[in-house]
Coordinates of all heavy atoms in Angstrom, one line a residue:
V1 N -46.9 -128.5 -35.2 CA -47.4 -127.9 -33.9 C -47.5 -129.0 -32.8 O -48.1 -130.0 -33.0 CB -48.7 -127.2 -34.0 CG1 -49.1 -126.5 -32.7 CG2 -48.7 -126.2 -35.1
C2 N -46.9 -128.7 -31.7 CA -47.1 -129.5 -30.5 C -48.0 -128.8 -29.6 O -47.8 -127.6 -29.3 CB -45.7 -129.8 -29.8 SG -45.9 -130.7 -28.2
A3 N -49.1 -129.4 -29.1 CA -50.0 -128.8 -28.1 C -49.4 -129.0 -26.7 O -49.2 -130.2 -26.3 CB -51.4 -129.4 -28.2
G4 N -49.1 -128.0 -26.0 CA -48.5 -128.1 -24.7 C -49.5 -127.9 -23.6 O -50.6 -127.3 -23.8
G5 N -49.1 -128.3 -22.4 CA -50.0 -128.2 -21.2 C -51.1 -129.1 -21.2 O -52.1 -128.9 -20.5
I6 N -51.0 -130.3 -21.9 CA -52.1 -131.3 -22.0 C -52.0 -132.2 -20.8 O -50.9 -132.9 -20.7 CB -52.0 -132.0 -23.3 CG1 -52.0 -131.1 -24.5 CG2 -53.1 -133.0 -23.4 CD1 -53.2 -130.2 -24.7
I7 N -53.0 -132.3 -20.1 CA -53.0 -133.2 -18.9 C -54.2 -134.1 -18.9 O -54.3 -135.1 -18.1 CB -52.9 -132.5 -17.6 CG1 -54.0 -131.4 -17.4 CG2 -51.6 -131.8 -17.4 CD1 -54.1 -130.8 -16.1
T8 N -55.2 -133.9 -19.7 CA -56.4 -134.8 -19.7 C -56.6 -135.3 -21.1 O -56.2 -134.8 -22.1 CB -57.7 -134.0 -19.3 OG1 -58.0 -133.1 -20.4 CG2 -57.5 -133.3 -18.0
S9 N -57.3 -136.5 -21.2 CA -57.6 -137.1 -22.5 C -58.5 -136.2 -23.4 O -58.4 -136.1 -24.6 CB -58.3 -138.4 -22.3 OG -59.5 -138.3 -21.5
M10 N -59.4 -135.4 -22.7 CA -60.3 -134.5 -23.5 C -59.4 -133.4 -24.1 O -59.7 -133.0 -25.3 CB -61.3 -133.8 -22.5 CG -62.4 -134.7 -22.1 SD -63.6 -133.9 -21.1 CE -64.3 -132.7 -22.2
Q11 N -58.4 -132.9 -23.4 CA -57.5 -131.8 -24.0 C -56.8 -132.4 -25.1 O -56.6 -131.8 -26.2 CB -56.6 -131.3 -22.9 CG -57.2 -130.4 -21.9 CD -56.2 -130.0 -20.9 OE1 -55.4 -130.8 -20.4 NE2 -56.1 -128.7 -20.5
A12 N -56.3 -133.7 -25.0 CA -55.5 -134.3 -26.0 C -56.3 -134.5 -27.3 O -55.9 -134.2 -28.4 CB -55.0 -135.7 -25.5
D13 N -57.6 -134.9 -27.1 CA -58.5 -135.1 -28.3 C -58.7 -133.8 -29.0 O -58.7 -133.7 -30.2 CB -59.8 -135.8 -27.8 CG -59.7 -137.2 -27.5 OD1 -58.7 -137.9 -27.9 OD2 -60.6 -137.7 -26.8
A14 N -59.0 -132.8 -28.2 CA -59.3 -131.4 -28.8 C -58.1 -130.9 -29.5 O -58.2 -130.4 -30.6 CB -59.7 -130.5 -27.7
A15 N -56.9 -131.1 -29.0 CA -55.7 -130.7 -29.6 C -55.4 -131.4 -30.9 O -55.1 -130.8 -32.0 CB -54.5 -130.9 -28.7
L16 N -55.6 -132.7 -30.9 CA -55.3 -133.5 -32.1 C -56.4 -133.2 -33.2 O -56.0 -133.2 -34.4 CB -55.3 -135.0 -31.7 CG -54.2 -135.4 -30.8 CD1 -54.3 -136.9 -30.4 CD2 -52.8 -135.2 -31.4
N17 N -57.6 -133.0 -32.8 CA -58.7 -132.7 -33.7 C -58.4 -131.3 -34.3 O -58.9 -131.0 -35.4 CB -60.0 -132.7 -33.1 CG -60.5 -134.1 -32.7 OD1 -60.0 -135.1 -33.4 ND2 -61.4 -134.3 -31.7
S18 N -57.7 -130.5 -33.6 CA -57.4 -129.1 -34.1 C -56.1 -129.1 -35.1 O -55.8 -128.1 -35.7 CB -57.1 -128.2 -33.0 OG -58.2 -128.1 -32.2
G19 N -55.4 -130.3 -35.2 CA -54.3 -130.3 -36.1 C -53.0 -130.5 -35.4 O -51.9 -130.5 -36.1
A20 N -52.9 -130.6 -34.1 CA -51.6 -130.8 -33.4 C -51.0 -132.1 -33.8 O -51.7 -133.1 -34.0 CB -51.8 -130.8 -31.9
Q21 N -49.7 -132.2 -34.0 CA -49.0 -133.4 -34.5 C -48.2 -134.0 -33.4 O -47.7 -135.1 -33.5 CB -48.1 -133.0 -35.7 CG -48.9 -132.7 -36.9 CD -48.2 -131.7 -37.8 OE1 -47.7 -130.7 -37.3 NE2 -48.3 -131.9 -39.1
L22 N -48.1 -133.3 -32.2 CA -47.5 -133.8 -31.0 C -48.3 -133.3 -29.9 O -49.0 -132.3 -30.0 CB -46.0 -133.4 -30.9 CG -45.0 -133.5 -32.0 CD1 -45.1 -132.4 -33.0 CD2 -43.6 -133.6 -31.4
I23 N -48.1 -134.0 -28.7 CA -48.7 -133.4 -27.5 C -47.6 -133.4 -26.4 O -46.7 -134.3 -26.4 CB -49.9 -134.2 -27.0 CG1 -49.6 -135.7 -26.8 CG2 -51.1 -134.0 -27.9 CD1 -50.7 -136.5 -26.2
A24 N -47.7 -132.4 -25.5 CA -46.7 -132.3 -24.4 C -47.4 -132.0 -23.2 O -48.5 -131.3 -23.1 CB -45.7 -131.2 -24.7
S25 N -46.9 -132.5 -22.1 CA -47.5 -132.3 -20.8 C -46.4 -131.9 -19.8 O -45.3 -132.2 -19.9 CB -48.1 -133.6 -20.3 OG -48.7 -133.5 -19.0
P26 N -46.8 -131.1 -18.8 CA -45.9 -130.7 -17.7 C -45.6 -131.8 -16.8 O -44.7 -131.7 -16.0 CB -46.6 -129.5 -17.0 CG -48.0 -129.8 -17.2 CD -48.1 -130.4 -18.6
I27 N -46.3 -132.9 -16.9 CA -46.1 -134.0 -16.0 C -46.0 -135.3 -16.8 O -46.2 -135.4 -18.0 CB -47.3 -134.2 -15.0 CG1 -48.6 -134.3 -15.8 CG2 -47.3 -133.0 -14.0 CD1 -49.8 -134.5 -14.9

């Protein structure tokens, strides 16, 4: 799972703690 729409470090941490293995941002 890639967590999409990530633009802040708090979102990134929450996504990774939830099990995301990648992160994606619109920017």
Side-chain angles (χ1 to χ4, degrees):
V1 184
C2 178
I6 305 298
I7 57 175
T8 69
S9 56
M10 285 181 65
Q11 287 177 316
D13 286 341
L16 297 174
N17 289 336
S18 298
Q21 291 148 318
L22 309 86
I23 53 175
S25 178
I27 56 177

